[in-house]
Amino acid sequence: MTALVFLGLLLSLPSMGCLKNDILRLNIKKEPHLDPNTVCKTYPELSQTQYDLCRKYPDVTASAIQGVQIGIHECQHQLRSHRWNCSSLERKNKNPHASPLLKRGFKETAFAYAISAAGVTHQVSKACSLGKLKSCGCDMSVYGVNRDFEWGGCSHNVDFGEQYAKRFMDSKEMARDIHSRINLHNNRAGRLAVIHNVQKQCKCHGMSGSCELKTCWKAAPNFREVGDLLKRKFQAATKIHIGNAASGRLIKQNGRRPRQSDLLYYQRSPSFCEPNNRLDSPGTTGRLCNKSSDGVDNCGTLCCGRGYNILKVRRSERCNCKFYWCCYVECQTCTYNEWVTVCK
């Protein structure tokens, strides 16, 4: 690929400087009055159960949809150096779960399901505590007695977030086949990645910043920490023995039952080297690689043995993205002039 061809490809790409809510097509900076039709009829390919939930709780569903977007962004960050990097899941006005790849049983499928479910849990939990939703508020629970501080503030309502994520995400898995059962498991693993890592945050009260009185509350973990945890789960994902699945139990190939927090898959992943429309996989031609890396982003691995070109390019990419309730994303555009190695 010549430098002119590569620059031509860059110019032909859609602008990524400012991404609003691509699914709901809401181009707003203020919290809208959420008409159920705006949310439920715009978000594509809802199941009937999801649509009914959306009609009843449009504000919660809007937060859930934003949680899916946050999950896909985190998926792109965590797998940015891999041959399949989640980029095909973020298409304008598209439900990421409609991707053909998510109909398969790959490790990458497991990660996408888990990170999406985690995103919904995380976002709905936070929206509750911000007073954005009619159906929930702060979690006012007291987590035991402690002499060093008092429970107060406004804890993130992780219980409500987990329950709604389960109802909204699991309702698409109506079949009882191996694929649906593994999707349900991976959805739960994603929710658990948030629930099991809830953190205590505290604030001091007193004269001149002293800590005469300290109040604490529970908060969902930073989502990057959730992504890091699920990435480790992805790297250690467990293959399920299909022959045992018909018995109603998911069994690992070594005969043991997986843990609830494990990510599961049942099909060997393809190479993802070449474009494959059946899997909605773009291949790796044109991807930036690192010729000095020992990781999966090295040019030998990422370029699948096709080689690479060294080019000087002016590159623009989305950066410093911020998510706003409800339901959009604003990003800056960062531009770089640099020498890059690009897969042939």
Side-chain angles (χ1 to χ4, degrees):
M1 181 183 291
T2 67
L4 289 177
V5 172
F6 182 68
L7 289 175
L9 287 175
L10 288 178
L11 291 174
S12 68
L13 291 174
S15 174
M16 299 181 70
C18 184
L19 173 67
K20 301 301 183 185
N21 190 309
D22 286 340
I23 298 173
L24 296 182
R25 298 198 292 268
L26 295 177
N27 189 9
I28 51 179
K29 288 193 175 183
K30 294 184 178 180
E31 299 165 17
H33 170 70
L34 289 179
D35 181 348
N37 290 328
T38 302
V39 178
C40 311
K41 291 187 177 180
T42 306
Y43 190 67
E45 301 192 48
L46 290 174
S47 70
Q48 186 59 51
T49 301
Q50 287 179 320
Y51 184 78
D52 292 342
L53 272 173
C54 186
R55 294 285 301 176
K56 189 173 183 180
Y57 308 109
D59 55 345
V60 187
T61 303
S63 282
I65 292 169
Q66 189 178 29
V68 172
Q69 274 197 305
I70 290 172
I72 297 307
H73 277 238
E74 186 62 23
C75 183
Q76 291 173 348
H77 171 79
Q78 295 293 341
L79 300 188
R80 63 193 181 279
S81 300
H82 291 245
R83 291 175 179 172
W84 185 79
N85 61 1
C86 304
S87 60
S88 61
L89 299 183
E90 188 176 51
R91 301 283 177 80
K92 190 172 184 179
N93 304 329
K94 177 182 176 182
N95 184 335
H97 286 76
S99 170
L101 188 134
L102 268 63
K103 304 296 189 289
R104 306 299 288 272
F106 306 141
K107 286 176 63 175
E108 292 77 11
T109 305
F111 185 72
Y113 268 90
I115 199 75
S116 298
V120 174
T121 304
H122 191 272
Q123 194 64 16
V124 172
S125 300
K126 289 180 64 178
C128 287
S129 66
L130 291 172
K132 303 292 187 181
L133 307 180
K134 297 178 181 178
S135 304
C136 63
C138 302
D139 179 4
M140 303 304 293
S141 302
V142 176
Y143 300 89
V145 178
N146 195 303
R147 295 180 181 179
D148 298 328
F149 61 86
E150 293 184 5
W151 288 109
C154 183
S155 293
H156 291 173
N157 200 334
V158 178
D159 288 342
F160 185 90
E162 190 272 339
Q163 292 167 13
Y164 197 83
K166 177 177 173 62
R167 293 179 68 185
F168 186 74
M169 303 295 281
D170 287 5
S171 61
K172 289 185 71 72
E173 309 300 331
M174 302 301 292
R176 297 303 302 166
D177 57 13
I178 180 65
H179 184 72
S180 288
R181 293 178 56 228
I182 284 183
N183 288 345
L184 291 172
H185 176 97
N186 291 325
N187 281 347
R188 179 170 57 182
R191 299 193 302 268
L192 290 177
V194 177
I195 296 168
H196 289 172
N197 291 281
V198 169
Q199 301 166 351
K200 183 181 73 175
Q201 294 185 356
C202 299
K203 182 176 181 180
C204 287
H205 310 274
M207 297 294 292
S208 302
S210 66
C211 210
E212 297 175 7
L213 174 64
K214 183 165 65 173
T215 56
C216 300
W217 60 92
K218 293 289 186 177
N222 183 288
F223 200 67
R224 179 54 44 81
E225 296 176 18
V226 176
D228 291 342
L229 171 62
L230 289 176
K231 173 67 177 298
R232 294 193 293 272
K233 298 288 184 181
F234 165 76
Q235 293 170 327
T238 301
K239 189 172 184 181
I240 291 300
H241 192 283
I242 298 179
N244 292 330
S247 65
R249 300 174 64 189
L250 296 176
I251 303 295
K252 297 194 291 186
Q253 290 192 321
N254 61 10
R256 298 180 180 179
R257 298 194 67 177
R259 293 173 295 184
Q260 291 184 342
S261 59
D262 289 340
L263 296 191
L264 307 182
Y265 69 102
Y266 64 94
Q267 288 180 308
R268 182 179 179 181
S269 298
S271 69
F272 295 115
C273 287
E274 305 299 332
N276 187 332
N277 291 332
R278 291 183 304 158
L279 296 178
D280 199 18
S281 175
T284 64
T285 297
R287 287 277 301 276
L288 302 180
C289 63
N290 186 346
K291 63 180 181 179
S292 61
S293 172
D294 294 326
V296 293
D297 63 336
N298 74 81
C299 291
T301 299
L302 192 60
C303 302
C304 305
R306 296 187 303 265
Y308 58 89
N309 293 316
I310 301 177
L311 308 170
K312 187 175 184 179
V313 299
R314 181 180 178 86
R315 180 168 60 90
S316 296
E317 66 180 28
R318 185 179 58 201
C319 61
N320 302 323
C321 295
K322 293 183 179 180
F323 293 84
Y324 293 88
W325 197 98
C326 162
C327 314
Y328 67 98
V329 185
E330 281 193 341
C331 300
Q332 296 177 355
T333 299
C334 295
T335 302
Y336 309 92
N337 292 305
E338 58 187 359
W339 288 94
V340 296
T341 46
V342 181
C343 292
K344 293 181 178 180

